[in-house]
Amino acid sequence: MKSSEFYTFRGYEIIDREKNVLTPSMEDYLEMIYRMCLEDSNIRMNILAKHLNVRTSSSTKIVQKLAKIGLVNYEPYSLISLTDKGMEVGKFLYERHIIIEKFLFLIGVENTTLKDTELIEHYVSPNLVIKFNQLNRFFMDNKDVLDKYNSYIKTNMENKMSADNQY
Ligand code: ZN
């Protein structure tokens, strides 16, 4: 296991343990804080709020909740930074997002990729994220299969919505 994979795995364990603690909106904040931390490890509340399209007051409330459970460092009017644990969970959330978005892209979702990712990401188990990732890698390593799949859905299945229940 590469060190970055280990990091992600720790995030996976933490989130699995704390799934009743983190709400979808807390996850969105943490994911955004992690993304912003990739550029600068100290974040201003008003800039975070701007990135999330929310008011600074609502942003402050959620960040205080994240601070309470030890994922971010934040005092009133201070800058926001991630704790070690917050870094692990944030990395997992960030990678989960990328894996799901890539999966949707590979199976041919076009205009709604980001929107669908934002909806799905909060409700999949870490195991399913691993499965998506495996399929992504399989498609990337077998481009001929991916091409075959894409031309199959273009010619046979376009806009059909009926399931034929054959297993
Ligand atoms: Zn996301």
Side-chain angles (χ1 to χ4, degrees):
M1 208 184 295
K2 280 186 287 174
S3 68
S4 69
E5 282 173 2
F6 177 71
Y7 220 40
T8 309
F9 187 71
R10 287 268 302 135
Y12 160 119
E13 285 184 323
I14 294 170
I15 207 157
D16 212 34
R17 228 182 307 131
E18 300 194 351
K19 53 179 169 262
N20 300 320
V21 181
L22 279 178
T23 62
S25 125
M26 285 161 87
E27 289 189 347
D28 283 338
Y29 274 73
L30 200 59
E31 186 188 320
M32 182 58 80
I33 293 169
Y34 181 82
R35 278 174 193 268
M36 292 172 74
C37 271
L38 296 173
E39 311 267 305
D40 184 350
S41 51
N42 290 302
I43 293 160
R44 281 181 198 287
M45 186 65 79
N46 60 330
I47 310 285
L48 174 66
K50 202 177 245 173
H51 274 78
L52 287 159
N53 261 316
V54 296
R55 286 172 207 231
T56 308
S57 57
S58 353
S59 176
T60 305
K61 267 186 213 147
I62 305 276
V63 170
Q64 280 169 335
K65 283 188 191 169
L66 292 171
K68 213 170 172 184
I69 57 172
L71 295 173
V72 302
N73 302 306
Y74 177 72
E75 304 273 326
Y77 307 106
S78 77
L79 295 169
I80 307 158
S81 64
L82 287 171
T83 62
D84 286 350
K85 188 172 143 191
M87 188 71 99
E88 282 165 352
V89 178
K91 184 172 170 60
F92 173 76
L93 297 175
Y94 172 73
E95 295 197 339
R96 180 179 72 181
H97 180 108
I98 294 189
I99 288 167
I100 294 171
E101 196 172 6
K102 182 159 192 182
F103 168 76
L104 295 178
F105 173 77
L106 288 173
I107 61 165
V109 176
E110 275 166 356
N111 303 322
T112 57
T113 324
L114 182 59
K115 197 174 158 203
D116 285 332
T117 304
E118 298 289 354
L119 290 172
I120 295 167
E121 62 185 350
H122 306 295
Y123 302 102
V124 295
S125 71
N127 281 324
L128 185 52
V129 179
I130 289 173
K131 287 288 153 200
F132 283 149
N133 195 33
Q134 286 170 349
L135 193 67
N136 290 349
R137 286 189 185 192
F138 171 76
F139 273 141
M140 296 320 291
D141 288 341
N142 297 278
K143 286 268 172 59
D144 53 320
V145 181
L146 181 61
D147 290 345
K148 212 170 162 185
Y149 174 74
N150 280 322
S151 60
Y152 177 82
I153 52 171
K154 282 238 153 57
T155 49
N156 296 300
M157 310 284 292
E158 203 132 65
N159 303 323
K160 279 191 193 149
M161 258 313 253
S162 60
D164 50 16
N165 299 324
Q166 279 173 11
Y167 291 100

